[in-house]
């Protein structure tokens, strides 16, 4: 049986409306990320590949890597592996990558967004780095 209070139907519908409203708020917040936040998240994901021992995936996050000669790509992969070895030797490895509180800054004149990441090492030290990012076909890549 439907109950009316001040012209509004009481029952399960108000709860359902509240649920849809909550989902709408969550969805709109998630979709309203700035380009700077998107670039910072992408940079973090690429650096996570270093932690996960996937240097080839890290390299795929570089802009224009597919147009490089195979010999140069192999040299870059060796340099990435050396970078990982240096982090292991000097800092007991890379344990975590966070988006810094600075998030990112955009330079529209150069079409770059600078993402700020916080590298957390195995020896408890941290280092903030800047990763220049460029957007290509809706995907953020390291410059």
């Amino acid at each position: 049986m439907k109950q009316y209070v001040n012209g509004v139907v009481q029952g399960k519908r108000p709860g359902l409306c509240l649920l849809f409203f909550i989902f709408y708020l969550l969805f709109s917040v998630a979709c309203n990320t700035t380009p700077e936040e998107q670039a910072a998240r992408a940079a973090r994901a690429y650096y996570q590949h270093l932690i996960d021992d996937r240097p080839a995936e890290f390299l795929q996050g570089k802009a224009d890597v597919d147009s490089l000669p195979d010999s140069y790509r192999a040299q870059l992969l060796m340099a990435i592996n050396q970078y990982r070895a240096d982090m292991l030797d000097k800092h007991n490895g890379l344990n975590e990558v966070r988006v810094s509180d600075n998030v990112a800054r955009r330079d529209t004149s150069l079409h770059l967004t600078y993402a700020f990441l916080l590298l957390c090492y195995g020896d408890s030290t941290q280092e903030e780095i800047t990763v220049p990012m460029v957007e290509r076909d809706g995907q953020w890549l390291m410059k």
Side-chain angles (χ1 to χ4, degrees), residues 8-21:
V8 177
V9 177
Q10 300 296 307
K12 294 182 181 179
R13 293 187 202 278
L16 187 59
C17 289
L18 179 62
L19 183 63
F20 280 119
F21 180 70

Side-chain angles (χ1 to χ4, degrees), residues 14-40:
L16 187 59
C17 289
L18 179 62
L19 183 63
F20 280 119
F21 180 70
I22 290 171
F23 280 125
Y24 168 77
L25 285 178
L26 291 174
F27 182 75
S28 65
V29 167
C31 291
N32 289 330
T33 58
T34 65
E36 292 84 358
E37 291 169 328
Q38 293 170 6

Side-chain angles (χ1 to χ4, degrees), residues 78-140:
M78 284 180 9
I80 292 167
N81 284 321
Q82 183 61 50
Y83 178 54
R84 291 180 64 247
D86 288 346
M87 284 190 287
L88 184 61
D89 183 50
K90 294 177 183 173
H91 298 289
N92 292 331
L94 181 60
N95 285 354
E96 183 183 4
V97 179
R98 298 181 200 153
V99 174
S100 173
D101 290 337
N102 291 326
V103 181
R105 295 216 171 89
R106 191 168 224 182
D107 185 341
T108 54
S109 65
L110 297 175
H111 303 288
L112 289 176
T113 297
Y114 296 96
F116 295 91
L117 299 179
L118 190 63
L119 304 182
C120 305
Y121 296 110
D123 63 0
S124 311
T125 60
Q126 297 177 344
E127 176 183 15
E128 187 175 65
I129 64 168
T130 305
V131 182
M133 302 290 288
V134 63
E135 186 179 14
R136 300 269 167 80
D137 300 322
Q139 182 180 9
W140 286 98

Side-chain angles (χ1 to χ4, degrees), residues 2-76:
K2 295 180 182 178
Q3 293 180 340
Y4 292 90
V5 176
N6 295 331
V8 177
V9 177
Q10 300 296 307
K12 294 182 181 179
R13 293 187 202 278
L16 187 59
C17 289
L18 179 62
L19 183 63
F20 280 119
F21 180 70
I22 290 171
F23 280 125
Y24 168 77
L25 285 178
L26 291 174
F27 182 75
S28 65
V29 167
C31 291
N32 289 330
T33 58
T34 65
E36 292 84 358
E37 291 169 328
Q38 293 170 6
R41 288 179 186 167
R44 183 200 169 280
Y46 295 133
Y47 271 79
Q48 183 64 41
H49 291 315
L50 295 177
I51 294 173
D52 297 338
D53 193 22
R54 298 187 340 221
E57 284 85 350
F58 177 82
L59 182 58
Q60 279 304 119
K62 301 261 313 156
D64 303 322
V65 72
D66 292 333
S67 63
L68 298 175
D70 290 340
S71 59
Y72 186 59
R73 200 171 321 142
Q75 288 175 5
L76 287 174

